[in-house]
Amino acid sequence: MKSNDWLHGFRHSSPYINAHRGRTVVLSIGGDALAHDNLINIIHDLTLLSSLGVRLVITFGARAQIQQRLDEAGLASSFHRGLRVTPEAHLPQVLQAIGGLRTYLESQLSLGLVNSPMHNARIRVSSGNFVTAKPVGVLDGVDYGHTGRVRRIDVAGIESLLELGHIVLVPPQGYSPTGDVFNLSYEDVGSQVAAALQAEKLIIFTRHQGVLDENGALIRELSAGQASDRLAAARASGDDADLLRAACEACVKGVQRAHIISYAADGALLEELFTRDGSGTLVSGDTYEQIRPAGVEDIGGIVELIRPLEEAGVLVRRSREMLETEIERFVVAERDGTVVGCAALYDYPDEQAGELSCFAVDANYRRAGRGDELLAMIERLARSQGIQRLFVLTTQTEHWFRERGFQPSTVQALPGPKLAAYNAQRNSKVFVKPLC
């Protein structure tokens, strides 16, 4: 490693730091992660996030620890439909296990040794009765006892502590108005808390690198719809299915992004949040808005979107016939069935270059990040095709592209076919962004 590699990485992390400051991130950590040797590194990373102004809520599980307590007490466990049955006789062991982990997490977040990442951190950790729960009841003749489900989240209570700069700790237990306490699934708690807070992100820790395909390879990104399809086709099972289901449900309920990452890999949390490619699997919501490849059914919407820009001279005119023949080059931003943005990628494989073209966003959505999302989609497509530099020709949006990493270039830097077709009368400026 070069001696100044850290400097380059630190400087280039600033856009991600700015993007996360003041945002709410919910983390869901299972009992197996809490028992892993890498937990101390996760704690250090949480300290860093807190110092950067990220509002943190930690939900945690205790399955392994509960099982250990029950085994030591000579009590037999039973499960039904993937949920632990919690008779009243088991409740003391359950609560002791959860309470012990809560105290352990608080102690780890209170570390302040000199020459450690925790020195002078002074993190305040708060917990409480934020989860109102209800009993699962009786299913298939099985009485679940004190096993429950989330009924309601005290959003105001959590928000008030986040405003004070506290890290909020939410254990896998809830309370009923009758004073009963219930053992909850930590995946359900994490998903419900993230949705209730409308968190920016839900981070879920797993023993794997992320969601793996049938060949054991990491799946980098899934939409909520694709995640649901995997669950329906039983391509995920056991704990992995529970985690993927929690991520999917959070996104469907309004959480923008859910990330499934490894608890065993040092720095996985920071890599996922502060680098372009991340470390695990990203699950994104797609219920009413999505960036996707265009189809012939989108041509009418694209025509309506780009016509005013063509008339104003911002975009080169394209006929409907041209759009029909080139529609596979386009991606669109769709909101509630309406095309609100579009962009096209033209590749020049001999020169490993690509052109970003016909880039347009509805005026009502230009301040909501649609342009950045379209650009990110085009860049991902370009990289997947082996394109090493992306160029754009523009007459009126120079600064927007320069703010996103495009650098001024010359007409002579264009690929041969594009240079031959260059319209000197438009006098478009050329900007290039390296992708490697």
Side-chain angles (χ1 to χ4, degrees):
M1 178 182 289
K2 297 180 180 178
S3 60
N4 64 345
D5 279 354
W6 71 270
L7 182 60
H8 179 273
F10 190 59
R11 284 173 174 165
H12 283 76
S13 68
S14 60
Y16 301 99
I17 293 173
N18 293 329
H20 291 102
R21 183 181 292 114
R23 304 302 179 94
T24 300
V25 174
V26 177
L27 300 105
S28 188
I29 307 176
D32 49 354
L34 297 180
H36 196 273
D37 291 342
N38 193 50
L39 177 66
I40 187 60
N41 293 318
I42 296 175
I43 295 294
H44 291 163
D45 293 345
L46 292 177
T47 302
L48 176 59
L49 291 179
S50 180
S51 70
L52 293 174
V54 180
R55 294 153 43 105
L56 297 175
V57 179
I58 302 174
T59 66
F60 67 90
R63 290 196 185 114
Q65 292 79 2
I66 290 173
Q67 189 61 54
Q68 181 180 353
R69 293 265 184 175
L70 292 173
D71 291 344
E72 291 172 351
L75 298 172
S77 299
S78 62
F79 293 81
H80 186 66
R81 295 192 182 185
L83 286 176
R84 183 188 299 275
V85 176
T86 312
E88 188 169 358
H90 292 191
L91 199 55
Q93 283 72 30
V94 171
L95 298 181
Q96 287 171 17
I98 294 173
L101 282 179
R102 173 178 163 179
T103 301
Y104 176 64
L105 270 173
E106 289 176 347
S107 70
Q108 295 303 294
L109 289 166
S110 300
L111 290 172
L113 296 175
V114 176
N115 297 327
S116 81
M118 304 289 287
H119 185 53
N120 286 332
R122 297 180 181 175
I123 291 176
R124 292 179 174 86
V125 184
S126 295
S127 188
N129 56 339
F130 301 123
V131 180
T132 300
K134 60 184 178 181
V136 171
V138 179
L139 293 176
D140 305 325
V142 176
D143 186 350
Y144 280 82
H146 284 266
T147 298
R149 299 190 190 279
V150 175
R151 179 178 178 184
R152 185 171 60 252
I153 303 296
D154 181 5
V155 174
I158 295 175
E159 287 283 358
S160 65
L161 292 169
L162 292 175
E163 287 296 320
L164 293 173
H166 293 210
I167 291 179
V168 179
L169 203 57
V170 183
Q173 62 188 43
Y175 307 90
S176 72
T178 60
D180 291 311
V181 60
F182 294 98
N183 179 24
L184 306 177
S185 157
Y186 83 93
E187 296 96 342
D188 186 36
V189 173
S191 179
Q192 297 289 347
V193 168
L197 295 174
Q198 288 295 280
E200 181 80 6
K201 296 178 183 294
L202 169 64
I203 309 290
I204 303 174
F205 288 89
T206 180
R207 64 186 184 280
H208 302 303
Q209 187 178 358
V211 177
L212 307 181
D213 66 14
E214 290 72 20
N215 298 317
L218 176 67
I219 300 174
R220 286 285 183 182
E221 187 170 341
L222 289 167
S223 69
Q226 291 169 330
S228 295
D229 290 343
R230 288 189 66 81
L231 291 168
R235 293 200 295 271
S237 60
D239 292 342
D240 292 339
D242 292 336
L243 298 178
L244 187 58
R245 187 175 296 107
C248 182
E249 289 179 355
C251 288
V252 168
K253 292 180 179 179
V255 176
Q256 295 187 22
R257 301 286 188 271
H259 305 256
I260 301 176
I261 65 174
S262 169
Y263 60 71
D266 186 14
L269 176 59
L270 298 184
E271 185 179 353
E272 183 68 15
L273 295 182
F274 295 105
T275 66
R276 184 190 66 209
D277 295 328
S279 66
T281 300
L282 166 67
V283 180
S284 57
D286 59 355
T287 52
Y288 68 98
E289 183 173 337
Q290 57 180 326
I291 309 292
R292 58 171 176 77
V296 292
E297 67 277 4
D298 298 310
I299 292 176
I302 294 174
V303 169
E304 185 176 348
L305 175 67
I306 66 176
R307 184 183 296 118
L309 297 174
E310 291 175 342
E311 293 173 350
V314 177
L315 293 179
V316 175
R317 289 188 179 274
R318 285 174 170 78
S319 66
R320 180 180 286 268
E321 290 75 18
M322 179 182 291
L323 287 172
E324 289 177 352
T325 59
E326 299 182 348
I327 193 64
E328 74 279 357
R329 301 181 183 273
F330 279 75
V331 296
V332 294
E334 176 192 340
R335 181 181 176 89
D336 201 20
T338 300
V339 174
V340 298
C342 69
L345 175 64
Y346 293 80
D347 64 315
Y348 297 85
D350 291 342
E351 302 185 47
Q352 295 181 311
E355 179 187 7
L356 169 62
S357 184
C358 199
F359 189 85
V361 178
D362 187 290
N364 295 319
Y365 297 93
R366 289 175 189 167
R367 294 184 180 273
R370 304 305 183 287
D372 290 296
E373 292 172 356
L374 282 166
L375 176 59
M377 178 73 157
I378 289 292
E379 290 182 2
R380 286 197 295 271
L381 289 173
R383 290 189 181 93
S384 70
Q385 296 175 26
I387 292 173
Q388 295 187 3
R389 61 187 180 100
L390 189 66
F391 69 89
V392 62
L393 279 68
T394 182
T395 58
Q396 299 182 33
T397 54
E398 168 185 344
H399 286 274
W400 192 92
F401 287 107
R402 293 187 68 173
E403 291 169 2
R404 286 152 181 83
F406 286 81
Q407 298 298 319
S409 188
T410 64
V411 173
Q412 287 69 33
L414 294 173
K418 188 64 182 180
L419 178 60
Y422 179 77
N423 184 348
Q425 290 184 335
R426 279 184 61 83
N427 195 28
S428 299
K429 295 183 179 181
V430 179
F431 293 87
V432 178
K433 181 176 183 178
L435 298 180
C436 55

